[in-house]
Each structure stands twice: as C-alpha cells, then as structure tokens.
C-alpha cells in the first residue's frame, strides 16, 4: 500500500502530511519535524548497507514479486529512491574536477558493483547523463565552442547530432601555388614529431 495512510516507513503518517503541506505546525514544531525527517532519512540511507548485504535472498524476492509478477509499486518506489539520491547529489558542493553529476554517476556505478554476486564484475558502465532546459544546454555548448573550451564526449555528440558546429571558419581556401591553406606558415603544419 503506497498511500498516505500506510504504516510508518522512514516517515510517519504525520510526516507525510506535513511534507505535502496538509499539516500546519507552529515554528518550533516545524523546526523539530524537519530535523526529525532529516535524521530519519540519514539513518534510512545508512540502513541500506544492511538491506543490501544482510537481507536474505528470499526476502528480497518477496519484496520484488507480488502474486508471481514484478511488484510495480515497489519498482516505482525504487525510482523515487533514485530521484531522491539524484536530488541529494545536486545539493552537494561541487568543484571543477567533481560535479554533482560525477557524484551521482559514481553512486550508481559503485552501488551496482556492491549489488553484484560473488564472482561478478562490472564489465562496462556507461551513463550519458543529460538534463536541463534544451535551450540552456544548447547555449552552453555553443558558448564553449565559441570560446574554444573543451567539450565532454556527451556535449560533442550533442553538438554534432544537432548541428551546433559550424566548422567553416576552420577551413581556409587553398593556395593554388603550393596547395596549402592560404596565409598559413609551412612550419605551422608540422607536428612536434617533425622536429
């Protein structure tokens, strides 16, 4: 049962009512409720270690299956768990070398590795994560192209697939005399291997 009146999980019935804005609390009670919810969420995340490693296989099967078929409600709830983890990563501080998307990708990859049975290993993990408003993404990629910044493989693929690249400025007419691009020094055509 996934409704508001189901038994307590991480949240109580009152917690769910409060988060939906259906329960008004005074300022002190609201502050305490928010703290209680944060602490329960933190402790629930810590408990997943035990669920992932210690919960018996037959119990996992009973969670995943309802009347002999996959329990759609439990897998929808699992999607919500991933949505929560994704939004959690978006609120973590980032740096140039480690973005919230990198953190989320690592969480997914490491989680999959932890969930594998003995003797299994991740042979390939490829997550091309793209989201946001399309116009903003296009503007960001075009700005990077105009400023000569490096693109990620995902950005490059998007630029190529959507004709963001206009590479005509890279090509110069050829000089009829030597067949080389006009106004280019011969030494500029040499690589470091030629020296």
């Amino acid at each position: 049962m996934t409704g508001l009146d189901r038994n307590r999980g991480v949240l109580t019935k009152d917690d769910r009512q409060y988060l939906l804005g259906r329960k008004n609390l005074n300022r002190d009670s609201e502050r305490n409720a928010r703290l209680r919810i944060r602490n329960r969420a933190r402790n629930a995340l810590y408990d997943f270690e035990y669920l992932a490693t210690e919960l018996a296989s037959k119990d996992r099967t009973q969670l995943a299956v309802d009347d002999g078929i996959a329990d759609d409600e439990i897998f929808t709830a699992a999607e919500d768990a991933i949505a929560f983890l994704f939004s959690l990563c978006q609120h973590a501080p980032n740096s140039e070398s480690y973005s919230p998307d990198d953190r989320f990708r690592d969480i997914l990859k490491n989680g999959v590795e932890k969930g594998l049975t003995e003797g299994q290993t991740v042979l390939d993990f490829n997550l091309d994560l793209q989201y946001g408003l399309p116009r903003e993404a296009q503007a960001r990629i075009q700005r990077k192209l105009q400023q000569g910044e490096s693109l990620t493989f995902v950005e490059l693929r998007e630029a190529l697939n959507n004709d963001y690249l206009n590479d005509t400025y890279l090509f110069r007419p050829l000089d009829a005399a030597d067949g080389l691009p006009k106004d280019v020094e011969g030494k500029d055509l040499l690589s470091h291997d030629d020296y």
Side-chain angles (χ1 to χ4, degrees), residues 42-143:
R42 182 179 291 112
N43 287 322
L45 288 171
Y46 292 147
D47 283 344
F48 275 106
E49 176 186 1
Y50 302 103
L51 294 173
T53 60
E54 305 303 325
L55 188 64
S57 178
K58 67 180 180 177
D59 292 323
R60 292 179 207 201
T61 299
Q62 289 178 2
L63 279 169
V65 176
D66 185 28
D67 288 334
I69 59 172
D71 185 343
D72 288 338
E73 286 183 346
I74 203 77
F75 289 105
T76 299
E79 289 175 6
D80 292 331
I82 291 172
F84 178 70
L85 295 176
F86 178 75
S87 67
L88 199 63
C89 291
Q90 298 304 306
H91 286 86
N94 67 334
S95 66
E96 274 188 38
S97 61
Y98 198 67
S99 71
D101 293 348
D102 295 329
R103 185 180 308 278
F104 183 66
R105 191 175 290 107
D106 287 346
I107 285 173
L108 285 180
K109 180 179 181 292
N110 295 338
V112 167
E113 286 177 345
K114 289 178 180 180
L116 295 175
T117 59
E118 191 174 319
Q120 290 181 320
T121 187
V122 173
L123 300 176
D124 186 24
F125 184 85
N126 214 351
L127 176 67
D128 290 336
L129 184 60
Q130 296 183 50
Y131 60 93
L133 299 173
R135 272 188 296 206
E136 289 179 9
Q138 180 180 1
R140 184 186 71 248
I141 291 172
Q142 287 176 336
R143 184 178 61 250

Side-chain angles (χ1 to χ4, degrees), residues 145 148 165-174 181-182 184:
L145 286 169
L165 293 172
N166 177 0
D167 55 5
T168 56
Y169 69 93
L170 295 176
F171 298 99
R172 299 178 185 174
L174 297 180
K182 287 185 179 179
V184 174

Side-chain angles (χ1 to χ4, degrees), residues 141 151 154-165 167:
I141 291 172
L151 298 179
V154 174
E155 291 171 332
L156 182 59
R157 183 174 55 237
E158 182 178 341
L160 290 170
N161 290 341
N162 295 297
D163 295 325
Y164 298 170
L165 293 172
D167 55 5

